[in-house]
Amino acid sequence: MRRLDVRGASYLLAAIGFVCAWSILCWPWLSGAVTIPFDAKAHFQAQIQFLAQALHSGQSPFWNHNVFGGSPQVADPQSLIFSPAILLALISPSPSFREVDAYVLAHLLFGGLAMLMFFRDRGWHPAGGLIAALVFAFGASAAWRVQHVGQIASLAFFAIAFWLTARMLQRGSLLSGIFAGLAAGFMVLEPDQVALLGGYVIIGMVVAHWISGGWPAIRTTFVPSVVAAIAGLVTILLPLLLTWLFAEATTRPEIDFGVAVRGSLHPLSLLTAFVADLFGARDPNVEFWGPYSADGSVYLSQNMAQVYVGALPVLLLIVPGLTRGWLWDKAVRPLSLLFVFMVLFALGRYTPAFHVIYEYLPGVKQFRRPADATFLIGALGAVLSGYVLHRLLSEESLGSLKRDFAIGGAVLASLLAFAIGVAVTEGHFADAWWPSLSATLWFVAAALVVVALTRWRHAVGPVAGLLLVTGVVGADLGVNNGPNESTALPPQMYDVLQPETKNETIRILKTLVAQPEGSPRRDRVELLGMGFEWPNASMVHGFDHTLGYNPLRLADFSDAVGTGDGISRWGERKFPPLFPSYRCRLADLLGLRYIATRVPIDQVDHKLREGDLKLVAFTGDAYIYENPRALPRAQFVAGWQLADFEGMKSAGQWPDSDPQQVVLLDTVPPDAVPEGPMTSNADVKLTRYENTEVEITVTTDKPGFIVLNDIWHPWWRAELDGTEVEILKANVLFRAVQVPAGTHKVHFSFRPVEGAIAELRNRVEEPRIEDAPTTAPPLVATGPGATSTSPSAAEDGSWHESRDIRDEPEPFAQGASSLPVSSALVR
């Protein structure tokens, strides 16, 4: 009992030490002196602000009309709706940078505590658990890629699921199985490659336990494992169903092998495990000279190539982890094998292993960047180094470590010499000599710690041992993985994402788009090349942007309007056939009235003629232009015409008709009047416009169509005077509802669950391709009374011509801009 009390007290001290180290190392962010930059602000800060504003205004956050003409937010795994972030959104209507940063960093805190609990359950030495917690939270990508909020969340829930799964296997506990399944479910709720690989680690733990323990192990843990699987499936079933259906309709349903391996970890990057900042990634005075600056076939930013976990953990893995074979102990053998697998995975194109993994391991084709495995390299390395320290401090008789240190010293000296050799070859010895010398000093300090802990392990009390580990490892990781230009920048750089910003461009745009109540107008804005932090600013400030920043975008909209992952530089603006210029019909239908750009608009759009756009303001940030031809968001159109939308997108041709007299449809409407243009007198009012609810009243002397120039999506439903009616796809991208003459109310509502079920049912009932019509579709129907034989024009909408989803070009266009390139770090 006394031993149990001592062990419990030691683990309490270890937890206190970890929390103190976390508080100190995270203080630059927690104090507000710096903020987590790039994706954490440009993408996730905007997402959580949208979520908070929706909840506090009594609206649903399930649809986002502020970007890309509208997007199913509930199906976007990066929306944070199904994450703990919703608690922060419920508490604050306007979460500050500090609050969001604290939320992100809290993931690392709880993940580290889970590592401590993993060690405690096994009765391993608390110093081992402490070093595992520190390395997990502040080593490798956990420190260098903290701006990737979704992956940090997946990593944290992986640690929790890892601990609870191990407890379930150790104790055969149903309750642990339930909680392990829930944690694994939360890990997968924001599906990314970290979650995928974490899932495979957890599955590997179960399989290894069953293999090593045989039938008795299977008998005692099979039911808890099944319960865990059920709990996980229940957690993720609906969100992942919505995400899957959304992803199928986006520009990125699957990543081609050639695109995926561009995100491979160059073998030379493994040197950063031994020499922190070898390539100048954290030193603003050193131009990054790592392999990605020279190898044009690899696309990784400098922060993605850092795998430093600390000198003491690396030394432990070598001495005595390798020298005495402790990494092959039965207790950690599966984790050692998984660690090697993660290294091979991360190297991607540089070994033949990844091609086999890509082809045969389910889920790998859905993600780019094999280098994302560095998150798991850090997590598994944390456990392994902690285990070695446990063995070192728990062995009754260690004997002499001289031979081990001699071998380890030779290995480290060779690696340091190789690093210097690479620097000399690349002409960067002046940049590499200090990191190499610094690494040598840290390894000497680590060796002294090992000597002290082993030679005087019985004389040195647990408090002194824990303080020594906390101090040395915490200082090492704080100095070498601490705040830098990839992870910590002044909050003022992201002022445009503050709801209370005084930015003049934002103020003018919000004034320009403001409309009186009931106006059918809801003008859209395009923020062109304003900087990395700008594309999702519309989500913070409540106006509608034609583009945005998100890797997941509805392909229909992207093909027609031209979008990329972001539009931080004006040279990234694409002009597809249907949107060849800002002077085009699609821009007018979108209601794109104002364009804010860093440079004069004629430098971006060479097809513009004088007078096409009007310069209405110039601020310190932007030229603001007006498109006077932009149409209202809600229109009444009396006439209609059949058209082939896919052909129009390919050819960029519109019928010779007035969009205020003719709405283009891809199916024949029920009870249709003859095709052709028709004039009418109608009064249209947009009486309600919210995220998931839109209400329009119309008084018209003729039957026709209410056209809502928001993107069509199958999960929207419509009612005409309280009776459900069909939403027709109109003018390639938008929504239309047929209405008779008179005064009527049209109500649109977004119903994702109902819509997803209906979409699944339609897919099941979909005719086979060989049974579909074989007549080639015409390019576009252009004349009055014209008809289309396109399969996509079938009245039941049940069969559509398949589309070829091609790889997107890399995000940074050649010669795009002379603007600062620090935004490239996030890539």
Side-chain angles (χ1 to χ4, degrees), residues 505 509 525-530 534 594-599 601 621-625:
T505 302
L509 289 174
V525 169
E526 185 162 309
L527 303 170
L528 175 61
M530 298 290 291
W534 279 78
Y594 301 104
I595 303 160
T597 173
R598 289 278 192 195
V599 298
I601 195 67
D621 293 315
Y623 300 86
I624 301 177
Y625 295 90

Side-chain angles (χ1 to χ4, degrees), residues 387-400:
Y387 173 77
V388 173
L389 182 58
H390 150 70
R391 282 292 308 269
L392 199 64
L393 297 177
S394 303
E395 289 293 297
E396 289 296 329
S397 178
L398 278 173
S400 175

Side-chain angles (χ1 to χ4, degrees), residues 372-559:
D372 286 350
T374 52
F375 282 96
L376 276 300
I377 289 173
L380 294 174
V383 177
L384 294 173
S385 62
Y387 173 77
V388 173
L389 182 58
H390 150 70
R391 282 292 308 269
L392 199 64
L393 297 177
S394 303
E395 289 293 297
E396 289 296 329
S397 178
L398 278 173
S400 175
L401 288 173
K402 290 181 180 180
R403 175 180 171 274
D404 302 89
F405 275 119
I407 296 173
V411 170
L412 291 172
S414 300
L415 289 168
L416 290 169
F418 180 68
I420 290 292
V422 170
V424 171
T425 302
E426 297 294 328
H428 282 274
F429 175 75
D431 298 321
W433 75 267
W434 171 247
S436 300
L437 177 59
S438 177
T440 302
L441 296 175
W442 281 111
F443 276 114
V444 169
L448 293 175
V449 170
V450 172
V451 170
L453 290 175
T454 54
R455 179 168 296 182
W456 298 291
R457 55 181 173 158
H458 298 299
V460 175
V463 175
L466 292 172
L467 285 174
L468 187 60
V469 170
T470 304
V472 173
V473 177
D476 183 359
L477 295 175
V479 169
N480 292 303
N481 284 0
N484 58 76
E485 63 176 342
S486 294
T487 61
L489 291 176
Q492 295 78 14
M493 292 186 62
Y494 296 94
D495 175 69
V496 70
L497 296 173
Q498 303 263 22
E500 65 277 7
T501 181
K502 304 298 184 183
N503 182 273
E504 186 180 6
T505 302
I506 294 293
R507 179 184 60 79
I508 291 175
L509 289 174
K510 291 173 73 171
T511 301
L512 289 172
V513 299
Q515 294 294 324
E517 185 177 352
S519 171
R521 282 178 54 187
R522 187 179 171 92
D523 297 327
R524 284 192 169 94
V525 169
E526 185 162 309
L527 303 170
L528 175 61
M530 298 290 291
F532 186 75
E533 68 274 18
W534 279 78
N536 284 347
S538 58
M539 296 169 62
V540 175
H541 300 291
F543 56 81
D544 294 347
H545 186 200
T546 49
L547 305 180
Y549 172 44
N550 199 322
L552 288 178
R553 307 172 302 280
L554 290 169
D556 211 19
F557 184 86
S558 187
D559 292 346

